[in-house]
Amino acid sequence: ISGKDSFILESCFMSVVFRTLESPFSKANELAVCQYLLNFAEKSLAKVNTVASNEEDLLKCEKEDPYGIPFALSQLRIQERAALQETINKMSLNILNIQGPADKR
C-alpha cells in the first residue's frame, strides 16, 4: 500500500513502533527514530491539508446523501488528520522525554 492510502497502515504500524521503542537501545538512536517519525507525520499532515481543500464541498453532500462516497471520503480525511496529529503529539512527547530536562547539570 502506498500513496494516499498508506495511512491505513498506521494502526498496525504504530503499535509495532511503540513496542520497539520499549526495547533498550541508545538514546541517540531512539531520538533519531522519534525525530524521523515526527518529521514524516508533519510532512504527511501538510500534504493531507493541501489535498483536503475541497472537504467543505464533500461535507455538504451529507444533506443530499448522508451515506454517499463524498461524505465517507471527507470522514476518512478527518480521521487521517486526527491520526497524524496524534502521531505528532506522541513523537513530540517522546522526544521531550528522551531529551530530559533542559537544565540538567
Side-chain angles (χ1 to χ4, degrees):
I1 297 179
S2 63
K4 295 177 186 176
D5 296 328
S6 60
F7 76 94
I8 293 169
L9 296 174
E10 183 176 354
S11 60
C12 301
F13 178 67
M14 287 308 294
S15 63
V16 172
V17 168
F18 284 109
R19 200 170 333 127
T20 303
L21 286 174
E22 292 173 357
S23 301
F25 55 98
S26 74
K27 252 186 172 181
N29 284 334
E30 186 176 5
L31 187 58
V33 168
C34 289
Q35 191 62 54
Y36 173 82
L37 292 171
L38 174 63
N39 292 341
F40 185 82
E42 288 173 338
K43 287 177 186 176
S44 297
L45 183 58
K47 286 180 188 175
V48 168
N49 287 336
T50 58
V51 170
S53 61
N54 67 345
E55 193 169 289
E56 288 181 19
D57 294 335
L58 293 174
L59 285 171
K60 288 176 189 173
C61 294
E62 178 184 21
K63 293 176 184 173
E64 298 168 18
D65 185 4
Y67 302 105
I69 291 174
F71 181 70
L73 290 174
S74 70
Q75 295 301 304
L76 280 173
R77 189 66 66 200
I78 289 167
Q79 293 199 1
E80 182 178 13
R81 262 198 217 104
L84 287 167
Q85 188 60 56
E86 184 63 24
T87 300
I88 291 168
N89 295 344
K90 285 180 180 179
M91 289 302 114
S92 297
L93 184 59
N94 279 357
I95 289 169
L96 288 174
N97 288 334
I98 293 166
Q99 291 173 338
D103 58 355
K104 206 177 191 182
R105 296 178 187 175

